[in-house]
Amino acid sequence: MKIAVAGTGYVGLSLSVLLSQHNEVHAVDLVKSKVDLINSRKSPIADKELEEYLGGKELHLTATTDGDSAYRGADFVIISTPTNYDPEKNYFDTSSVESVIKQVKTVSPASTIVIKSTIPVGYTENIRKTLDFPNILFSPEFLREGHALFDNLYPSRIVVGYSKDDETLKSKAELFAQLLHEGALKQDIPTLYTHLTEAEAIKLFSNTYLALRVAYFNELDTYAEVRKLTTKEIIDGVCLDPRIGQGYNNPSFGYGGYCLPKDTKQLLANYKDVPNNIIGAIVAANKTRKEYIASRIMDRAPGTVGVFRLTMKAGSDNFRQSSIQDVMHILSEHGKRIIIYEPVLAAQDFSGYEVVNDISSFKRQSDVIIANRFTKELQDVTDKVYTRDLYFRD
């Protein structure tokens, strides 16, 4: 079966690798350097399993910048292009998704499109009509940064949405789910077939619940720190309740990354004219948390603030929408000098802040070091470090 995948970020590349174990897969990206890396069987993103599979598994995978040739004759075209949230429009920027749909309609109208990009609730039904291309499914992804292929090999569930009044699309939805099952190592994967719009809602509500957990335990930590209580003892006691559990309970500077900030804001925008309190409070709580963290740092920082890593998670090379950046900007607005240690950056400047990637010099220049997540590299300067990382994990 020929499958084309538009976009080679975490979602697109992990799906390309997963499906190319048993199918002919053409991964499309506009960035030639990424295409060249993939064709050299090297991963352009930090993901241990992706690197292992690309380097050591027999895969039927080709990367290309030529979308026309990749899409032509494809049984499925999977769209996994980025959809950043536009605060001006209160809406995801879905232009890259629409561009691929138009291209597929022109060169391969018999193909079935599967949207994996995160989109607003109601988008797929609307775009099927607007672009007059009914052969579209929506299948949300539930992947962690740095573990994208692992989460495709061992998925928590598979969800595929289709138009319930189209029997042909139902069979295509079942076939696509079968392809995901075939590539996975996990057996007995829960699989759910829903209407298109319900599948979109599943994605946004899932991520917003995770954001709620992060915000809740961050507010617990704020309370404990202000009242001079031991946060870890409280969390340990709370999370022994099996109804609550241990997930997403390690305090941080705030939720961030590829998905949670934009998905919570998009869901809140979808709540226009719908009564709500919790969804809006989650977004507001994250802003409050970052402002609180910044105030605590200002209380203890007489001079230079060193920012240790911009990345959100261990093992990730992504620092888009990382919470520590918002904290940096607040500190800068209050006149604090900021320096950054981030080995992922080759430049000596990031958004106007000095990058100091000599770790010894960075530690020496910093009066206080802020770290969303603590690592052994900071053990010799613990007296300088401000972090809310209690469990030394994401």
Side-chain angles (χ1 to χ4, degrees):
M1 187 166 291
K2 181 179 179 180
I3 299 170
V5 181
T8 61
Y10 281 103
V11 178
L13 184 55
S14 62
L15 278 169
S16 296
V17 170
L18 180 87
L19 295 170
S20 65
Q21 295 175 96
H22 304 289
N23 303 277
E24 174 191 343
V25 176
H26 300 261
V28 181
D29 203 289
L30 300 177
V31 181
K32 189 176 184 302
S33 59
K34 293 178 71 175
V35 166
D36 291 342
L37 281 171
I38 295 166
N39 286 332
S40 300
R41 293 298 183 258
K42 296 177 182 177
S43 176
I45 56 180
D47 186 301
K48 181 181 177 183
E49 286 81 20
L50 272 175
E51 291 165 1
E52 290 177 355
Y53 267 64
L54 280 168
K57 295 283 185 178
E58 182 180 346
L59 304 173
H60 309 287
L61 173 63
T62 302
T64 180
T65 58
D66 183 0
D68 281 2
S69 64
Y71 304 146
R72 189 173 289 112
D75 297 282
F76 288 100
V77 175
I78 301 171
I79 301 178
S80 55
T81 55
T83 50
N84 297 325
Y85 183 77
D86 186 336
E88 297 284 329
K89 297 179 180 178
N90 273 349
Y91 199 78
F92 285 139
D93 180 358
T94 56
S95 57
S96 63
V97 175
E98 285 140 35
S99 176
V100 176
I101 296 172
K102 292 174 183 176
Q103 192 172 1
V104 172
K105 181 180 177 181
T106 300
V107 302
S108 191
S111 297
T112 299
I113 289 174
V114 183
I115 298 177
K116 277 281 183 179
S117 303
T118 308
I119 51 180
V121 177
Y123 174 83
T124 309
E125 280 282 34
N126 180 63
I127 208 66
R128 291 172 72 235
K129 297 172 184 174
T130 302
L131 297 183
D132 190 26
F133 193 87
N135 304 333
I136 304 178
L137 308 173
F138 176 75
S139 179
E141 52 80 18
F142 308 100
L143 310 178
R144 297 167 296 165
E145 294 171 25
H147 302 282
L149 181 56
F150 181 91
D151 291 341
N152 266 312
L153 294 168
Y154 299 92
S156 60
R157 72 278 208 197
I158 292 171
V159 178
V160 186
Y162 67 96
S163 178
K164 290 292 186 73
D165 59 2
D166 190 327
E167 284 298 315
T168 301
L169 279 180
K170 179 182 179 182
S171 64
K172 295 292 186 182
E174 291 170 346
L175 177 57
F176 181 70
Q178 181 183 326
L179 294 173
L180 298 179
H181 278 270
E182 184 181 46
L185 297 178
K186 181 180 177 179
Q187 302 297 310
D188 301 320
I189 305 164
T191 303
L192 182 65
Y193 300 99
T194 73
H195 187 71
L196 288 164
T197 307
E198 280 74 3
E200 294 163 348
I202 287 168
K203 169 65 174 179
L204 293 185
F205 275 100
S206 294
N207 274 351
T208 301
Y209 178 77
L210 297 178
L212 168 65
R213 293 252 333 178
V214 174
Y216 176 84
F217 285 104
N218 280 343
E219 287 208 352
L220 185 160
D221 177 57
T222 297
Y223 178 87
E225 192 176 28
V226 170
R227 300 297 189 205
K228 296 182 170 43
L229 305 176
T230 304
T231 301
K232 189 173 184 297
E233 291 183 3
I234 301 171
I235 293 178
D236 287 345
V238 167
C239 292
L240 284 174
D241 187 329
R243 296 169 300 176
I244 298 172
Q246 300 293 332
Y248 282 69
N249 64 353
N250 190 21
S252 65
F253 290 171
Y255 62 76
Y258 277 122
C259 295
L260 299 192
K262 68 187 182 79
D263 290 5
T264 52
K265 290 175 182 176
Q266 179 62 69
L267 184 59
L268 180 58
N270 275 121
Y271 259 89
K272 183 182 179 183
D273 303 324
V274 177
N276 81 95
N277 294 108
I278 293 175
I279 307 301
I282 295 168
V283 176
N286 203 45
K287 181 174 182 290
T288 299
R289 173 65 170 180
K290 289 179 280 194
E291 291 170 347
Y292 167 76
I293 291 294
S295 71
R296 292 290 295 170
I297 296 164
M298 285 187 285
D299 287 343
R300 61 179 291 171
T304 300
V305 177
V307 176
F308 180 80
R309 304 303 306 269
L310 299 173
T311 52
M312 281 297 303
K313 297 183 177 184
S316 170
D317 58 359
N318 167 50
F319 43 83
R320 184 171 70 183
Q321 295 293 316
S322 63
S323 55
I324 204 166
Q325 290 188 62
D326 290 326
V327 173
M328 283 166 43
H329 298 328
I330 296 170
L331 294 172
S332 179
E333 288 171 358
H334 285 80
K336 293 295 181 183
R337 178 185 177 233
I338 308 288
I339 60 172
I340 299 168
Y341 174 78
E342 180 49 79
V344 171
L345 294 172
Q348 295 181 321
D349 176 273
F350 175 80
S351 296
Y353 302 105
E354 181 184 356
V355 176
V356 179
N357 277 340
D358 179 285
I359 188 68
S360 297
S361 177
F362 169 78
K363 291 174 180 177
R364 189 170 55 253
Q365 291 186 54
S366 302
D367 294 296
V368 64
I369 296 172
I370 62 174
N372 191 53
R373 290 294 177 245
F374 189 86
T375 75
K376 61 183 180 180
E377 292 174 274
L378 298 174
Q379 286 177 343
D380 61 329
V381 286
T382 53
D383 57 320
K384 287 187 176 186
V385 176
Y386 180 79
T387 183
R388 302 311 303 153
D389 183 5
L390 304 181
Y391 295 94
F392 307 111
R393 56 171 169 75
D394 290 324

Short mmCIF file of all heavy atoms in Angstrom, two decimals, residues 151-184:
data_model
loop_
_atom_site.label_atom_id
_atom_site.label_comp_id
_atom_site.label_asym_id
_atom_site.label_seq_id
_atom_site.Cartn_x
_atom_site.Cartn_y
_atom_site.Cartn_z
N ASP A 151 5.23 5.80 21.52
CA ASP A 151 3.79 5.94 21.76
C ASP A 151 2.96 5.50 20.57
O ASP A 151 1.75 5.27 20.71
CB ASP A 151 3.46 7.39 22.13
CG ASP A 151 3.99 7.77 23.51
OD1 ASP A 151 4.29 6.85 24.29
OD2 ASP A 151 4.13 8.98 23.78
N ASN A 152 3.57 5.37 19.38
CA ASN A 152 2.90 4.76 18.24
C ASN A 152 3.04 3.24 18.27
O ASN A 152 2.15 2.51 17.82
CB ASN A 152 3.47 5.30 16.92
CG ASN A 152 2.68 6.48 16.39
OD1 ASN A 152 1.46 6.43 16.32
ND2 ASN A 152 3.37 7.54 16.01
N LEU A 153 4.15 2.76 18.80
CA LEU A 153 4.36 1.32 18.92
C LEU A 153 3.52 0.73 20.05
O LEU A 153 3.09 -0.44 19.98
CB LEU A 153 5.84 1.01 19.17
CG LEU A 153 6.81 1.34 18.03
CD1 LEU A 153 8.25 1.26 18.51
CD2 LEU A 153 6.59 0.40 16.85
N TYR A 154 3.29 1.54 21.09
CA TYR A 154 2.50 1.10 22.25
C TYR A 154 1.42 2.14 22.55
O TYR A 154 1.42 2.79 23.59
CB TYR A 154 3.40 0.93 23.48
CG TYR A 154 4.49 -0.11 23.29
CD1 TYR A 154 5.75 0.25 22.82
CD2 TYR A 154 4.25 -1.45 23.59
CE1 TYR A 154 6.75 -0.70 22.65
CE2 TYR A 154 5.25 -2.41 23.42
CZ TYR A 154 6.49 -2.02 22.95
OH TYR A 154 7.48 -2.97 22.78
N PRO A 155 0.46 2.31 21.64
CA PRO A 155 -0.52 3.39 21.80
C PRO A 155 -1.52 3.12 22.93
O PRO A 155 -1.90 1.97 23.17
CB PRO A 155 -1.23 3.42 20.44
CG PRO A 155 -1.07 2.04 19.90
CD PRO A 155 0.25 1.55 20.39
N SER A 156 -1.93 4.19 23.60
CA SER A 156 -2.96 4.06 24.64
C SER A 156 -4.30 3.72 24.01
O SER A 156 -5.10 2.98 24.59
CB SER A 156 -3.07 5.37 25.43
OG SER A 156 -3.42 6.45 24.56
N ARG A 157 -4.56 4.25 22.82
CA ARG A 157 -5.78 3.97 22.07
C ARG A 157 -5.61 4.48 20.65
O ARG A 157 -4.73 5.29 20.38
CB ARG A 157 -7.02 4.60 22.71
CG ARG A 157 -7.14 6.13 22.60
CD ARG A 157 -6.34 6.84 23.64
NE ARG A 157 -6.89 8.15 24.00
CZ ARG A 157 -6.18 9.07 24.63
NH1 ARG A 157 -4.90 8.87 24.92
NH2 ARG A 157 -6.74 10.21 24.98
N ILE A 158 -6.45 4.00 19.77
CA ILE A 158 -6.53 4.49 18.40
C ILE A 158 -7.93 5.03 18.19
O ILE A 158 -8.92 4.35 18.46
CB ILE A 158 -6.22 3.38 17.38
CG1 ILE A 158 -4.74 2.95 17.47
CG2 ILE A 158 -6.54 3.84 15.95
CD1 ILE A 158 -4.40 1.71 16.65
N VAL A 159 -8.01 6.28 17.73
CA VAL A 159 -9.30 6.92 17.46
C VAL A 159 -9.31 7.36 16.00
O VAL A 159 -8.37 8.03 15.55
CB VAL A 159 -9.53 8.14 18.38
CG1 VAL A 159 -10.87 8.82 18.04
CG2 VAL A 159 -9.50 7.73 19.85
N VAL A 160 -10.34 6.97 15.27
CA VAL A 160 -10.48 7.42 13.89
C VAL A 160 -11.90 7.96 13.71
O VAL A 160 -12.88 7.28 14.00
CB VAL A 160 -10.23 6.28 12.87
CG1 VAL A 160 -10.26 6.84 11.44
CG2 VAL A 160 -8.91 5.57 13.14
N GLY A 161 -11.98 9.20 13.22
CA GLY A 161 -13.26 9.83 12.98
C GLY A 161 -13.59 9.85 11.49
O GLY A 161 -12.72 10.09 10.66
N TYR A 162 -14.85 9.58 11.18
CA TYR A 162 -15.30 9.61 9.78
C TYR A 162 -16.72 10.14 9.74
O TYR A 162 -17.41 10.22 10.77
CB TYR A 162 -15.22 8.23 9.16
CG TYR A 162 -16.18 7.21 9.73
CD1 TYR A 162 -17.42 6.95 9.14
CD2 TYR A 162 -15.86 6.50 10.90
CE1 TYR A 162 -18.31 6.04 9.67
CE2 TYR A 162 -16.75 5.59 11.44
CZ TYR A 162 -17.97 5.36 10.82
OH TYR A 162 -18.85 4.46 11.36
N SER A 163 -17.17 10.50 8.58
CA SER A 163 -18.54 10.97 8.41
C SER A 163 -19.46 9.76 8.47
O SER A 163 -19.37 8.85 7.64
CB SER A 163 -18.70 11.70 7.07
OG SER A 163 -20.03 12.11 6.89
N LYS A 164 -20.37 9.76 9.44
CA LYS A 164 -21.18 8.58 9.70
C LYS A 164 -22.19 8.27 8.58
O LYS A 164 -22.76 7.19 8.54
CB LYS A 164 -21.93 8.75 11.03
CG LYS A 164 -21.03 8.70 12.26
CD LYS A 164 -20.46 7.32 12.48
CE LYS A 164 -19.68 7.19 13.77
NZ LYS A 164 -20.50 7.16 14.97
N ASP A 165 -22.39 9.23 7.69
CA ASP A 165 -23.34 8.99 6.59
C ASP A 165 -22.64 8.49 5.32
O ASP A 165 -23.23 8.49 4.24
CB ASP A 165 -24.16 10.24 6.29
CG ASP A 165 -23.30 11.43 5.89
OD1 ASP A 165 -22.06 11.27 5.83
OD2 ASP A 165 -23.85 12.53 5.65
N ASP A 166 -21.38 8.08 5.45
CA ASP A 166 -20.61 7.64 4.28
C ASP A 166 -20.00 6.27 4.57
O ASP A 166 -19.00 6.15 5.28
CB ASP A 166 -19.51 8.66 3.97
CG ASP A 166 -18.82 8.42 2.64
OD1 ASP A 166 -18.68 7.24 2.26
OD2 ASP A 166 -18.40 9.40 2.00
N GLU A 167 -20.61 5.20 4.05
CA GLU A 167 -20.14 3.84 4.30
C GLU A 167 -18.74 3.59 3.74
O GLU A 167 -17.96 2.81 4.30
CB GLU A 167 -21.12 2.82 3.70
CG GLU A 167 -22.39 2.65 4.51
CD GLU A 167 -22.12 2.11 5.92
OE1 GLU A 167 -21.33 1.16 6.06
OE2 GLU A 167 -22.70 2.67 6.87
N THR A 168 -18.41 4.26 2.64
CA THR A 168 -17.07 4.11 2.06
C THR A 168 -16.01 4.62 3.03
O THR A 168 -14.97 4.00 3.23
CB THR A 168 -16.96 4.85 0.72
OG1 THR A 168 -17.93 4.35 -0.17
CG2 THR A 168 -15.58 4.68 0.12
N LEU A 169 -16.30 5.76 3.66
CA LEU A 169 -15.35 6.31 4.63
C LEU A 169 -15.24 5.43 5.86
O LEU A 169 -14.18 5.34 6.49
CB LEU A 169 -15.76 7.74 5.02
CG LEU A 169 -15.34 8.84 4.06
CD1 LEU A 169 -15.80 10.19 4.57
CD2 LEU A 169 -13.83 8.84 3.83
N LYS A 170 -16.33 4.76 6.23
CA LYS A 170 -16.26 3.84 7.37
C LYS A 170 -15.25 2.73 7.09
O LYS A 170 -14.42 2.40 7.95
CB LYS A 170 -17.64 3.23 7.64
CG LYS A 170 -17.64 2.24 8.79
CD LYS A 170 -19.01 1.61 9.01
CE LYS A 170 -18.98 0.61 10.16
NZ LYS A 170 -20.27 -0.06 10.36
N SER A 171 -15.29 2.16 5.89
CA SER A 171 -14.34 1.09 5.56
C SER A 171 -12.92 1.63 5.49
O SER A 171 -11.96 0.94 5.87
CB SER A 171 -14.73 0.44 4.23
OG SER A 171 -14.63 1.35 3.14
N LYS A 172 -12.76 2.88 5.03
CA LYS A 172 -11.42 3.49 5.00
C LYS A 172 -10.90 3.74 6.43
O LYS A 172 -9.71 3.57 6.70
CB LYS A 172 -11.46 4.82 4.23
CG LYS A 172 -11.78 4.67 2.76
CD LYS A 172 -10.68 3.98 1.99
CE LYS A 172 -10.98 3.98 0.49
NZ LYS A 172 -9.94 3.27 -0.28
N ALA A 173 -11.80 4.14 7.32
CA ALA A 173 -11.41 4.36 8.71
C ALA A 173 -10.94 3.05 9.35
O ALA A 173 -9.93 3.01 10.07
CB ALA A 173 -12.59 4.94 9.50
N GLU A 174 -11.66 1.97 9.07
CA GLU A 174 -11.28 0.66 9.61
C GLU A 174 -9.96 0.19 9.04
O GLU A 174 -9.12 -0.38 9.75
CB GLU A 174 -12.39 -0.34 9.33
CG GLU A 174 -13.67 -0.07 10.11
CD GLU A 174 -14.84 -0.91 9.65
OE1 GLU A 174 -14.75 -1.52 8.56
OE2 GLU A 174 -15.86 -0.95 10.37
N LEU A 175 -9.73 0.47 7.74
CA LEU A 175 -8.46 0.08 7.11
C LEU A 175 -7.30 0.87 7.70
O LEU A 175 -6.23 0.30 7.96
CB LEU A 175 -8.55 0.30 5.60
CG LEU A 175 -7.27 0.01 4.79
CD1 LEU A 175 -6.80 -1.43 5.01
CD2 LEU A 175 -7.52 0.29 3.30
N PHE A 176 -7.50 2.17 7.91
CA PHE A 176 -6.42 2.97 8.47
C PHE A 176 -6.08 2.50 9.88
O PHE A 176 -4.90 2.39 10.23
CB PHE A 176 -6.81 4.45 8.49
CG PHE A 176 -5.72 5.34 9.02
CD1 PHE A 176 -4.56 5.55 8.29
CD2 PHE A 176 -5.83 5.94 10.27
CE1 PHE A 176 -3.53 6.35 8.77
CE2 PHE A 176 -4.82 6.75 10.76
CZ PHE A 176 -3.66 6.95 10.02
N ALA A 177 -7.09 2.23 10.69
CA ALA A 177 -6.83 1.71 12.04
C ALA A 177 -6.08 0.38 11.97
O ALA A 177 -5.16 0.13 12.78
CB ALA A 177 -8.14 1.54 12.79
N GLN A 178 -6.43 -0.45 11.01
CA GLN A 178 -5.75 -1.73 10.83
C GLN A 178 -4.26 -1.52 10.52
O GLN A 178 -3.40 -2.25 11.03
CB GLN A 178 -6.41 -2.50 9.69
CG GLN A 178 -5.80 -3.87 9.42
CD GLN A 178 -6.46 -4.54 8.22
OE1 GLN A 178 -7.66 -4.38 7.98
NE2 GLN A 178 -5.68 -5.27 7.45
N LEU A 179 -3.93 -0.51 9.73
CA LEU A 179 -2.53 -0.21 9.41
C LEU A 179 -1.76 0.20 10.66
O LEU A 179 -0.60 -0.18 10.85
CB LEU A 179 -2.46 0.91 8.37
CG LEU A 179 -2.99 0.59 6.97
CD1 LEU A 179 -2.99 1.84 6.10
CD2 LEU A 179 -2.17 -0.52 6.32
N LEU A 180 -2.40 0.98 11.53
CA LEU A 180 -1.76 1.38 12.79
C LEU A 180 -1.55 0.18 13.70
O LEU A 180 -0.50 0.05 14.34
CB LEU A 180 -2.59 2.46 13.49
CG LEU A 180 -2.79 3.78 12.74
CD1 LEU A 180 -3.65 4.73 13.56
CD2 LEU A 180 -1.44 4.44 12.43
N HIS A 181 -2.54 -0.71 13.77
CA HIS A 181 -2.41 -1.94 14.55
C HIS A 181 -1.26 -2.79 14.02
O HIS A 181 -0.47 -3.34 14.80
CB HIS A 181 -3.71 -2.75 14.47
CG HIS A 181 -4.77 -2.31 15.42
ND1 HIS A 181 -4.89 -2.82 16.70
CD2 HIS A 181 -5.77 -1.41 15.28
CE1 HIS A 181 -5.91 -2.27 17.31
NE2 HIS A 181 -6.48 -1.39 16.48
N GLU A 182 -1.17 -2.89 12.72
CA GLU A 182 -0.16 -3.73 12.09
C GLU A 182 1.26 -3.26 12.44
O GLU A 182 2.17 -4.08 12.64
CB GLU A 182 -0.36 -3.71 10.57
CG GLU A 182 0.58 -4.61 9.80
CD GLU A 182 0.34 -4.51 8.30
OE1 GLU A 182 0.22 -3.37 7.79
OE2 GLU A 182 0.28 -5.56 7.64
N GLY A 183 1.46 -1.95 12.51
CA GLY A 183 2.79 -1.43 12.80
C GLY A 183 3.15 -1.43 14.27
O GLY A 183 4.32 -1.38 14.64
N ALA A 184 2.14 -1.52 15.14
CA ALA A 184 2.38 -1.43 16.59
C ALA A 184 2.90 -2.75 17.16
O ALA A 184 2.69 -3.82 16.58
CB ALA A 184 1.09 -1.03 17.30
#
